[in-house]
Amino acid sequence: MTLNPTHDPARLSWLESAHAATTDFPLQNLPYGAFRRAVASPALLGVAIGDRILDLHAAAAAGLLPGTVAAACQQPTLNALMALGAPAWSALRARLSALLGADSCPAGALRDRVAACLVPMREVTMLLPAAIGDYTDFYASVFHATNVGAMFRPGQPLLPNYKWVPIGYHGRSSSIMVSGMLVRRPHGQTRAATEGSPAFGPSQSLDYELELGAFVGPGNQLGEPIPLASAADQLFGVVLLNDWSARDIQSWEYQPLGPFLAKNFATTISPWVVTLEALAPFRVPVFSRPAADPAPLPYLSDPGDATLGGLDLHLEAWLLTPRMRATGAPPHRLSAGNFQKMYWTLAQLLTHHASNGCNLRPGDLLGSGTVSGETKDSRGCLLELTARGTEPIHLPDGETRGFLQDGDEIILRGHAERAGARRIGLGECRGLVVPAAD
Ligand code: MN
C-alpha cells in the first residue's frame, strides 16, 4: 500500500483536539466505529477525530461523502462498507481527510457543514462496529506458543506443525462484546491434578489474552481461495482484542479438539477499527525466522508480504484492581509487546483460512493469537507472566495476582509510532470482571 496525502504527518485538522500529542485519533488515523447518541436512538457509523466523532450518517445525508459509499455509511454496522473493497475505502478516507483537514477545508460554509456533523465522543455509547458472522482465533506468536506449550507439554513445547501451518480454531461470535461491557466469570468443569474426578463451578484461573483482531473486507466465494498477493486488499482494519480464557477449564477440555467453553464465554474488542490504510506508514518486513526454520510453503509466500507484511504496532495490557480503583491509583502495566514479532502475518492468516475454499465474509473477525515477545515483560497473558499462577505478579500497592479476581479490569492499548509519520492509536479495550452467576 502506497502512502498518500492522508498520511502526511505535517497536515493538521481544523479541529483543535486532533492536534493533542496524546490523542490516538489525529487527522492521519480516521478509524471507523458504530455508536448510539441515546439509549433508544439508532445505531450510527462514525469516524473518530480528536475528542469528536464525525457522524457518517449525517455527513452522507448532507451530501458530503462520495456517492459510492453514501449508502454504506448510513447503515448501523460497517459490514456494507467492508464489502465495498479497498478502492471505495480509500476514496472515503481521502474525502474524510480533505473535509477534516485545515489546509483542505478552510473556514467557511463547507467547514460549517462538516462541523454540524460532529458529536462529542464523551456523549455517546460505542457499539460493536460490525455484525460479526464468524470469528476465528489464531496462535501466531511463536513465543506465546512455546511458553504455553512448555507448561502443558514440558517434553514438547512446540508441536511439529507449528512452523508450517498457522494454527487456529473457530471461536464464537455471539459472545464478542465491545469495550466497557462487564465480563462474567464463567462456570465450567475443571479437574485439579491431584484429584480423580472433575468438579463444576466458577473458574479459579480467569485470564486475559492481548491480541489484535482483523476485520475481513469483501471476502471470497465458497471454493475460491484468496492468493496471498491479494490478501492485503481483503483486510479492512484492526482492533484490540481480549480473548478471555479460563485456564482451569481449558486444561481439562482442550484435548483432542482444542478450545471450547474455556474461551467462548466472552471476547472483548475495542470500538474503533483502524484501517490498514491508516497503518500503511507502519508496515515492516515479516518477522525474521531463525535460519533453521522452514520457509513458508508457496501458497504462504509472497515477496510483497515478506517485505511489508509485518506491522510495527506497540501493544500493552494494563490491570486496574478494585483496591487501585478505590485509592485512585493508576492502572499497572502488565506487559508491552510488538506485533512485529508475530510468526505469521495477518495476510498469511487470511490466506491460510481461505486456502481450502472456506468462504470469508465481510465483517468476519480474525484474532491474531496472544501477542508475546521473547522477553518476560512482553508476555501477553497471565498464564505466561505467572507461570500458570505459580509465580504471582507483585503490584505496586502490595497486592499479588496469579489470575484475575472479581472486580479486576483489564485495559488493552496500542499505538503505532515512527520517525516521519504521525503517531496513531487504537484507543482502548476495557473489560471488568464480575462475579460468577449464582
Ligand atoms: Mn487467543
Side-chain angles (χ1 to χ4, degrees):
M1 184 171 286
T2 51
L3 299 188
N4 58 48
T6 69
H7 302 104
D8 182 350
R11 292 188 62 230
L12 292 174
S13 173
W14 45 262
L15 191 73
E16 196 72 27
S17 63
H19 308 169
T22 53
T23 186
D24 278 349
F25 311 122
L27 181 63
Q28 291 76 5
N29 195 345
L30 304 175
Y32 299 103
F35 68 100
R36 202 190 283 295
R37 298 185 72 162
V39 174
S41 63
L44 302 168
L45 297 178
V47 173
I49 177 80
D51 62 2
R52 303 291 154 122
I53 298 171
L54 180 76
D55 176 345
L56 284 176
H57 190 283
L64 294 168
L65 304 182
T68 49
V69 298
C73 287
Q74 295 180 77
Q75 301 296 314
T77 64
L78 286 167
N79 297 66
L81 182 63
M82 290 166 169
L84 287 178
W89 306 337
S90 211
L92 176 57
R93 176 178 165 85
R95 179 68 63 87
L96 292 167
S97 179
L99 292 173
L100 292 165
D103 54 352
S104 46
C105 189
L110 179 60
R111 185 186 289 189
D112 292 344
R113 286 169 63 208
V114 179
C117 301
L118 293 174
V119 182
M121 209 176 266
R122 64 176 183 281
E123 292 179 7
V124 312
T125 301
M126 296 305 297
L127 307 170
L128 277 180
I132 301 167
D134 278 296
Y135 160 52
T136 301
D137 197 24
F138 285 92
Y139 199 49
S141 162
V142 70
F143 303 108
H144 173 69
T146 303
N147 289 337
V148 171
M151 283 179 255
F152 285 87
R153 292 176 307 273
Q156 190 179 33
L158 208 56
L159 292 170
N161 56 5
Y162 189 85
K163 293 181 174 179
W164 295 95
V165 56
I167 301 295
Y169 66 95
H170 282 116
R172 179 97 191 155
S173 57
S174 65
S175 52
I176 299 175
M177 53 185 79
V178 75
S179 175
M181 290 181 66
L182 302 177
V183 175
R184 188 167 291 283
R185 180 180 298 275
H187 280 81
Q189 207 182 113
T190 63
R191 192 185 72 165
T194 50
E195 290 163 26
S197 303
F200 185 81
S203 168
Q204 300 303 310
S205 310
L206 184 59
D207 198 357
Y208 68 93
E209 289 188 342
L210 168 62
E211 304 194 17
L212 199 65
F215 277 103
V216 173
N220 56 314
Q221 294 297 313
L222 183 63
E224 295 178 9
I226 300 171
L228 187 55
S230 61
D233 290 342
Q234 288 285 352
L235 291 165
F236 177 79
V238 301
V239 289
L240 295 160
L241 185 151
N242 184 341
D243 176 23
W244 300 94
S245 301
R247 302 304 183 186
D248 44 1
I249 301 173
Q250 184 178 3
S251 63
W252 172 232
E253 77 169 7
Y254 89 105
Q255 288 177 312
L257 290 185
F260 182 37
L261 301 183
K263 300 272 194 177
N264 70 4
F265 59 95
T267 303
T268 308
I269 62 171
S270 55
W272 293 108
V273 186
V274 174
T275 63
L276 269 297
E277 186 170 2
L279 289 165
F282 311 101
R283 301 314 297 241
V284 290
V286 67
F287 172 74
S288 70
R289 299 176 169 212
D293 286 9
L297 290 175
Y299 80 102
L300 291 174
S301 299
D302 174 73
D305 192 57
T307 312
L308 288 173
L311 211 41
D312 181 5
L313 196 50
H314 180 84
L315 301 170
E316 298 178 344
W318 299 69
L319 170 66
L320 188 67
T321 68
R323 191 197 292 180
M324 292 156 78
R325 198 176 303 116
T327 60
H332 173 73
R333 194 173 76 182
L334 297 172
S335 73
N338 195 298
F339 202 73
Q340 205 173 345
K341 302 284 184 183
M342 300 302 268
Y343 199 79
W344 301 102
T345 66
L346 290 176
Q348 284 173 320
L349 300 182
L350 181 128
T351 287
H352 179 68
H353 202 316
S355 63
N356 64 345
C358 171
N359 50 330
L360 304 178
R361 296 176 294 187
D364 283 358
L365 183 64
L366 309 183
S368 63
T370 305
V371 180
S372 293
E374 59 266 79
T375 58
K376 187 164 187 187
D377 64 358
S378 64
R379 296 177 179 177
C381 63
L382 288 173
L383 178 69
E384 286 175 80
L385 285 169
T386 70
R388 221 171 174 176
T390 61
E391 298 167 16
I393 284 173
H394 293 267
L395 301 173
D397 64 0
E399 293 184 279
T400 60
R401 283 295 183 278
F403 288 104
L404 297 173
Q405 296 187 5
D406 293 343
D408 284 352
E409 185 173 27
I410 290 292
I411 306 158
L412 307 183
R413 294 177 183 150
H415 70 267
E417 188 168 31
R418 73 166 187 80
R422 178 68 164 91
R423 175 197 183 280
I424 63 172
L426 296 173
E428 285 188 338
C429 176
R430 303 179 80 107
L432 193 152
V433 176
V434 296
D438 291 334

